[in-house]
Amino acid sequence: MIERVLATAEALALIELLKEKHGPVMFHQSGGCCDGSSPMCYPDGDLLLGDQDICLGEIGGAPFYMHKNQYDYWKHTQIILDVVEGRGGMFSLEGVEGKRFLTRSRAFTSEELQELGLI
């Protein structure tokens, strides 16, 4: 089965640290506004999800959501959650750690797109 969202070892380690401090967490890929288009990490349940939010999978035991309109642009790519030094979104849990989550991606192959039912 092809995973739509993955995480680097560094991202998984930061997720574990955040879970130790805050309990279960969740992610939502921001579509802009205040924090740009960053992956945002919240205590699980702190962000109210709508009917248009899609769960793309789990990383480190944390669900990863994206709004359907944004997903329409990203559906041909695999999202790879990574971590870099620096301050991220002001509403995201990792900001006080001096690190920020970053979305990287790669295009699915033709075979993967076919398996996902996108072609």
Side-chain angles (χ1 to χ4, degrees):
M1 181 174 167
I2 299 165
E3 295 182 70
R4 293 187 175 274
V5 61
L6 300 173
T8 64
E10 294 83 4
L12 291 171
L14 183 54
I15 292 168
E16 286 305 310
L17 174 70
L18 295 173
K19 287 176 10 182
E20 288 173 15
K21 289 184 172 188
H22 303 281
V25 298
M26 63 182 285
F27 286 88
H28 194 280
Q29 178 65 44
S30 174
C33 186
C34 302
D35 291 310
S37 57
S38 301
M40 304 294 288
C41 182
Y42 303 99
D44 195 24
D46 268 18
L47 178 69
L48 296 177
L49 298 170
D51 293 343
Q52 297 291 307
D53 290 307
I54 299 169
C55 184
L56 300 181
E58 287 192 0
I59 46 175
F64 191 100
Y65 296 91
M66 180 182 285
H67 190 275
K68 182 190 178 313
N69 290 345
Q70 190 172 10
Y71 170 75
D72 288 340
Y73 290 107
W74 288 71
K75 66 185 174 187
H76 297 95
T77 62
Q78 184 175 58
I79 293 172
I80 305 158
L81 188 72
D82 200 0
V83 173
V84 294
E85 296 293 323
R87 299 239 350 145
M90 64 183 161
F91 302 116
S92 195
L93 290 176
E94 80 280 3
V96 299
E97 305 300 327
K99 299 178 185 290
R100 68 182 181 96
F101 288 110
L102 177 75
T103 300
R104 301 187 190 279
S105 64
R106 73 163 185 90
F108 285 124
T109 65
S110 296
E111 293 81 17
E112 291 170 325
L113 290 171
Q114 188 169 16
E115 187 175 326
L116 290 166
L118 296 173
I119 58 170

